[in-house]
Amino acid sequence: MKKVLITGAGSGFGKLFSFELAKRGYDVIAAVESPSQMRPLREEASKNNLSINVIKVDICDSADINYAIAQQADILVNNAGIGEGGALIDMPQTILRKQFEVNFFATTEVAKRFADSLIKRKSTGRIVFISSIGGLMTPELAGAYCASKHALEAVAESFKSELNNFGISVSTINPGPYLTGFNDRIMEASKNWSSLQENHVDHSDLTFDLPQYDENQDISAMCDVIIDSHAKFRNVFPEEFVEIIKTQQRQDWEK
């Protein structure tokens, strides 16, 4: 039975991936950021008759990363992440650095350590980066989040070429707007800092104004990607966003 390590499993996609893969019989290691998330996740899994190993892993904590890697999983789902919304021109540098610390530096560190462990164990495996359509396009007032995901796309591409000879496959999953609560939190994040300075952009009423899909809609298809070492490198969900992204990228050349 293959072990799957999923970071950021306390809510959203991480929790949904954990439950779906446990239903399929995988040995799921659900890594949550905070100790307060452990008991609720265990209880919810138990109510659904699912066996899941819940551990505490803050991906910005080196000791926590050590513990996660020591689980010797076969598949890493690099899902943990945060979203900082608001205009980049107004955003404090500390907030921008925090965005990159979690979504880029810490996420990359977990992937590096996981790959290193597989290579030293002489074992094949798989790394799946949960990116975003924001890694391929940049909606208004989401520049910090999208920049971190654009950077992560480059890491994933590099890992794919570097790890191929070691039998470690790499893919990205690029979700669109799903109703997990994450998109709304991105827009609300600027409330923590926007009132503390004179802004060039009005942040008083930021909302996520795109239609959002049911969070469960494509979980099964995403999990198919997670477990398939022969899956495509880039996997956009919902599928209709593939053409939306390609159209936007073509238009960017003509601006």
Side-chain angles (χ1 to χ4, degrees):
M1 183 189 303
K2 287 192 174 181
K3 283 187 180 181
V4 185
L5 171 63
I6 303 171
T7 64
S11 62
F13 285 129
K15 181 172 75 171
L16 296 172
F17 294 153
S18 297
F19 285 7
E20 174 64 21
L21 291 171
K23 288 177 185 176
R24 298 188 186 192
Y26 285 84
D27 185 355
V28 174
I29 305 162
V32 300
E33 178 188 7
S34 168
S36 65
Q37 295 174 299
M38 298 178 75
R39 183 174 177 178
L41 185 60
R42 285 171 177 157
E43 290 179 346
E44 188 172 351
S46 179
K47 287 178 182 177
N48 286 278
N49 297 313
L50 297 174
S51 176
I52 292 176
N53 179 16
V54 180
I55 64 175
K56 184 262 182 182
V57 178
D58 177 348
I59 65 169
C60 293
D61 186 312
S62 182
D64 282 10
I65 294 176
N66 288 341
Y67 182 57
I69 301 305
Q71 305 303 309
Q72 296 195 339
D74 305 291
I75 301 172
L76 167 66
V77 183
N78 240 340
N79 170 74
I82 62 171
E84 297 290 349
L88 272 174
I89 193 173
D90 292 323
M91 182 177 288
Q93 194 71 356
T94 54
I95 302 298
L96 180 59
R97 288 184 181 277
K98 178 183 176 184
Q99 177 71 91
F100 270 79
E101 188 60 42
V102 177
N103 287 17
F104 179 74
F105 289 109
T107 299
T108 300
E109 179 69 9
V110 173
K112 288 172 64 177
R113 299 276 293 281
F114 181 77
D116 179 65
S117 174
L118 285 175
I119 293 168
K120 287 179 177 176
R121 287 188 276 139
K122 294 180 168 50
S123 179
T124 59
R126 179 157 173 75
I127 300 173
V128 180
F129 292 89
I130 307 304
S131 181
S132 167
I133 61 168
L136 306 171
M137 58 192 296
T138 308
E140 187 177 5
L141 299 181
Y145 174 73
C146 293
S148 70
K149 291 298 188 178
H150 274 70
L152 195 62
E153 291 284 328
V155 167
E157 287 193 46
S158 295
F159 272 39
K160 181 172 177 58
S161 61
E162 294 169 8
L163 297 176
N164 183 58
N165 290 337
F166 295 100
I168 303 171
S169 63
V170 177
S171 289
T172 68
I173 291 177
N174 299 71
Y178 289 89
L179 198 56
T180 62
F182 186 80
N183 299 307
D184 300 293
R185 290 194 296 272
I186 289 177
M187 291 296 99
E188 293 170 359
S190 64
K191 292 179 180 179
N192 294 336
W193 52 262
S194 61
S195 62
L196 302 179
Q197 62 183 54
E198 182 180 347
N199 294 326
H200 297 286
V201 176
D202 183 5
H203 292 79
S204 60
D205 191 29
L206 294 189
T207 57
F208 190 84
D209 55 6
L210 289 176
Q212 299 191 63
Y213 297 77
D214 183 272
E215 62 180 5
N216 292 290
Q217 173 179 307
D218 294 303
I219 292 300
S220 180
M222 292 183 196
C223 285
D224 288 344
V225 172
I226 288 171
I227 62 177
D228 184 3
S229 61
H230 300 291
K232 294 186 298 182
F233 169 69
R234 178 167 290 137
N235 302 271
V236 174
F237 295 95
E239 287 189 9
E240 54 259 42
F241 267 82
V242 173
E243 284 307 314
I244 292 173
I245 291 168
K246 289 181 178 179
T247 298
Q248 179 64 58
Q249 290 175 338
R250 286 192 295 269
Q251 290 174 350
D252 287 341
W253 284 94
E254 300 169 0
K255 286 181 181 178

